[in-house]
Amino acid sequence: MTGTPPTAGTPTPRRTVSIAAPVGEGAIDSFVRQKGRGVILALYTALRSIKLYPLENSAVQKALADLAALAQEFVASEHELDVRVSGEFIFVNATRLRLDLDNYASFSHVLSVFRVCGIGTMHVADVVTARDWQVFLTIVQVPTSLEPHDRLTEVLAKLDAAGVRTLALTPPSDDDGEDRERAKERAKKTYTQSVTVTKDLMTSVRMGKSPNIKKIKRVVQGIVDQILNEETSLIGLTTIRDYDEYTFTHSVNVCIFSVALGKRLGLTKLQLYDLGMAALFHDIGKSRVPVDVLNKTGSLTEIEWRQIAAHPWLGVLALFQIRGTQEYPYRSMVVAIEHHMKADLTGYPKPIRPRQMSMYSKIVAAADGFDAATSRRAYQTVPINPAEVMREMRDNPRRGMDPIVVKAFINLTGIYPPGTLVVLDTFELGIVHAVNPLPEMLARPLTRVISDPMGNLVHPGEIVDLADRNPDGTYLRTIIKTENPERYGIRVSDYFV
Ligand SMILES: [Fe+2]
Ligand SMILES: [Fe+2]
């Protein structure tokens, strides 16, 4: 596993897409998908080069010529080319393109440009010349403060004025808002079910009973499917971090973060199932630690600390007793034993021989460290600000985090992870909602503005994009600092459920 997350601001190298159609049943779909990816990648490369270089530069001209050629080839064989964006997805004709590590930067960028310009569908039915593409891609990148709906009207007027009539742009359909609501509801259901099943799991282990492994598998599959389809809602729910239900919500949160990280690092769906199970089980050994020790608020005695520090290997023992699987869950066992070892092996338990921590353990350790530090627990009354935790994980080697995993984490949540309370330069308060889809805007997340400039709270408040600019190019809003929600009597999770 050597995949690295996309680096902010670096244009993805262009790849030549073979246009020869594969033969056989079901091949049409993959043909459209493959060629569609090529078109989106070319669109992205052209957008980036126009932004970076003067129009007459040969890189710009080549990117435009490539885009025109690819789109034309597509139309020639498929009769039309429709690029439609909906939620976090891009569809080419009726086929949804798969998002993966290779195309992450390009897809997010194109999605964001469409969203900002209020474009739902771009219809290409004709031969679009390189010059037409140039006009279109230049217009859509002019900074603006207009709302998407008005922006689209402006873009259409400018295209018309420039004589470009080969591209038909239409706004997103009305179902989009409904889709988002439905996705949010689905995420809530997945989350609550996962907490209930985890609770059953931990309780059965505590009572020496064998837990229902089928139910657990179903829950993990639910989480993986949701992360692959629409991860924003589920990531938002990790801000719940319920104090009373800490052990259960913590396991579910670690599972959600791990799967989302695994996806960023290029794991396959089957690997994600495996990783999700291991993440959900990582603290199962805590079911064998006395509850009063786990929930103790004061400082721990030497003996009590040893009891807690035994949970990694107690977890392995518990996993040996989980029946219902054909073979022992070895990967989960490795994660259970390794998740507190730290990358430099200075954690616990101390390994007897030098060892290389497994990739799954590195992922779960990062997800675990992040969720634990940002939660309020018995022995940590004040949760640490998510943005500070992320910075610590990146900059303090004593945290023992794997740098590649942390980098993927920052790509997932941004520098200000969802749930961070921030003060904006407009003196408004905001709660970070989701990472900015533009990879170079990791410090400018989508943020819910929850107060007016005087500090009067508004609920639920409007979600704004901190990458939005004034016509003069300055940003509308910028984060000046992060704040502790308790100081303002704010419960962050209220803004996500
Ligand atoms: Fe643990
Ligand atoms: Fe944990």
Side-chain angles (χ1 to χ4, degrees):
M1 251 290 325
T2 51
T4 37
T7 319
T10 318
T12 307
R14 228 187 68 69
R15 223 154 289 182
T16 320
V17 177
S18 155
I19 225 88
V23 236
E25 291 255 318
I28 296 160
D29 198 39
S30 78
F31 180 50
V32 170
R33 188 169 283 146
Q34 191 191 17
K35 283 203 297 176
R37 286 164 72 116
V39 171
I40 302 297
L41 197 57
L43 201 60
Y44 170 71
T45 312
L47 274 165
R48 298 287 309 175
S49 6
I50 288 182
K51 201 165 187 179
L52 292 172
Y53 311 109
L55 285 176
E56 59 281 3
N57 183 296
S58 60
V60 178
Q61 292 309 318
K62 181 175 183 311
L64 288 166
D66 284 352
L67 172 62
L70 275 176
Q72 199 173 323
E73 262 181 277
F74 193 103
V75 176
S77 75
E78 302 297 315
H79 309 297
E80 60 177 357
L81 166 61
D82 266 347
V83 177
R84 182 165 70 84
V85 303
S86 175
E88 294 177 28
F89 302 122
I90 299 184
F91 294 81
V92 167
N93 292 355
T95 306
R96 196 179 103 198
L97 300 185
R98 287 207 191 98
L99 183 74
D100 57 39
L101 202 63
D102 274 353
N103 59 35
Y104 181 71
S106 51
F107 278 27
S108 318
H109 189 81
V110 170
L111 259 176
S112 153
V113 169
F114 271 53
R115 206 174 290 151
V116 170
C117 295
I119 303 170
T121 307
M122 175 179 77
H123 181 69
V124 182
D126 229 329
V127 174
V128 183
T129 61
R131 186 249 167 201
D132 287 356
W133 283 116
Q134 175 185 318
V135 172
F136 170 62
L137 299 179
T138 309
I139 292 173
V140 292
Q141 292 195 94
V142 177
T144 178
S145 60
L146 290 177
E147 288 295 316
H149 179 264
D150 301 328
R151 183 71 207 277
L152 179 60
T153 316
E154 187 194 57
V155 169
L156 288 170
K158 283 187 178 170
L159 282 177
D160 200 49
V164 177
R165 305 214 164 77
T166 43
L167 292 168
L169 308 175
T170 46
S173 71
D174 288 343
D175 322 335
D176 251 31
E178 265 174 54
D179 279 357
R180 228 164 294 141
E181 269 316 300
R182 265 204 298 268
K184 213 172 149 188
E185 281 310 312
R186 261 199 310 273
K188 260 194 249 176
K189 211 169 140 197
T190 307
Y191 193 87
T192 354
Q193 266 172 358
S194 309
V195 174
T196 315
V197 168
T198 310
K199 206 169 173 176
D200 286 352
L201 162 73
M202 303 290 253
T203 321
S204 339
V205 173
R206 189 171 288 284
M207 304 199 337
K209 287 200 270 177
S210 182
N212 184 340
I213 195 86
K214 269 200 194 133
K215 260 195 191 170
I216 302 164
K217 273 191 177 163
R218 232 175 291 138
V219 150
V220 171
Q221 280 168 3
I223 291 177
V224 171
D225 292 346
Q226 196 109 41
I227 293 282
L228 290 176
N229 282 315
E230 203 271 337
E231 69 182 9
T232 313
S233 308
L234 210 49
I235 298 272
L237 289 177
T238 58
T239 57
I240 291 178
R241 302 192 180 105
D242 191 308
Y243 172 65
D244 292 325
E245 306 269 308
Y246 171 72
T247 320
F248 318 121
T249 50
H250 169 66
S251 297
V252 173
N253 290 353
V254 171
C255 179
I256 293 173
F257 284 129
S258 300
V259 172
L261 284 172
K263 173 182 134 188
R264 286 281 192 288
L265 292 165
L267 299 192
T268 64
K269 198 168 177 178
L270 281 179
Q271 289 172 319
L272 291 179
Y273 286 153
D274 234 11
L275 171 66
M277 290 292 273
L280 201 70
F281 286 137
H282 81 281
D283 270 342
I284 196 167
K286 285 196 177 164
S287 316
R288 299 203 166 182
V289 176
V291 183
D292 48 331
V293 177
L294 276 184
N295 294 339
K296 188 171 172 185
T297 40
S299 53
L300 299 169
T301 65
E302 173 73 26
I303 294 173
E304 288 164 340
W305 163 243
R306 271 199 216 152
Q307 282 176 299
I308 291 207
H311 82 267
W313 64 265
L314 287 174
V316 177
L317 293 188
L319 285 166
F320 266 115
Q321 282 176 352
I322 288 185
R323 259 155 284 168
T325 41
Q326 289 89 342
E327 53 177 54
Y328 289 118
Y330 294 114
R331 285 221 176 74
S332 298
M333 291 176 177
V334 171
V335 169
I337 198 81
E338 286 184 338
H339 76 278
H340 287 290
M341 273 187 188
K342 297 189 178 174
D344 56 1
L345 305 179
T346 54
Y348 64 90
K350 287 262 173 293
I352 303 162
R353 284 178 223 95
R355 66 191 285 147
Q356 179 86 52
M357 251 167 81
S358 89
M359 192 60 192
Y360 285 10
S361 303
K362 289 176 181 170
I363 295 174
V364 172
D368 181 37
F370 178 75
D371 190 69
T374 49
S375 304
R376 175 213 282 271
R377 290 167 288 161
Y379 38 96
Q380 177 177 296
T381 43
V382 185
I384 313 171
N385 189 304
E388 261 167 61
V389 175
M390 198 54 86
R391 204 174 318 127
E392 265 274 310
M393 283 176 37
R394 187 190 58 192
D395 299 339
N396 185 353
R398 279 205 310 242
R399 286 256 177 174
M401 296 294 169
D402 182 87
I404 291 178
V405 176
V406 173
K407 204 169 169 194
F409 216 150
I410 293 175
N411 268 293
L412 170 70
T413 62
I415 292 162
Y416 302 99
T420 307
L421 178 67
V422 293
V423 181
L424 303 169
D425 59 353
T426 50
F427 300 107
E428 294 158 315
L429 285 173
I431 290 182
V432 175
H433 183 74
V435 65
N436 199 301
L438 288 174
E440 63 266 39
M441 289 290 172
L442 289 177
R444 297 192 165 274
L446 307 182
T447 302
R448 193 183 284 279
V449 177
I450 59 154
S451 89
D452 65 13
M454 310 301 290
N456 303 309
L457 295 183
V458 285
H459 195 280
E462 189 200 346
I463 295 175
V464 297
D465 185 344
L466 295 190
D468 282 352
R469 299 179 202 237
N470 293 306
D472 66 358
T474 56
Y475 290 106
L476 292 176
R477 294 179 174 89
T478 299
I479 294 174
I480 9 181
K481 59 173 180 168
T482 59
E483 264 291 359
N484 177 1
E486 306 229 325
R487 237 193 93 192
Y488 295 85
I490 293 168
R491 204 165 70 178
V492 169
S493 58
D494 287 352
Y495 294 87
F496 288 91
V497 285

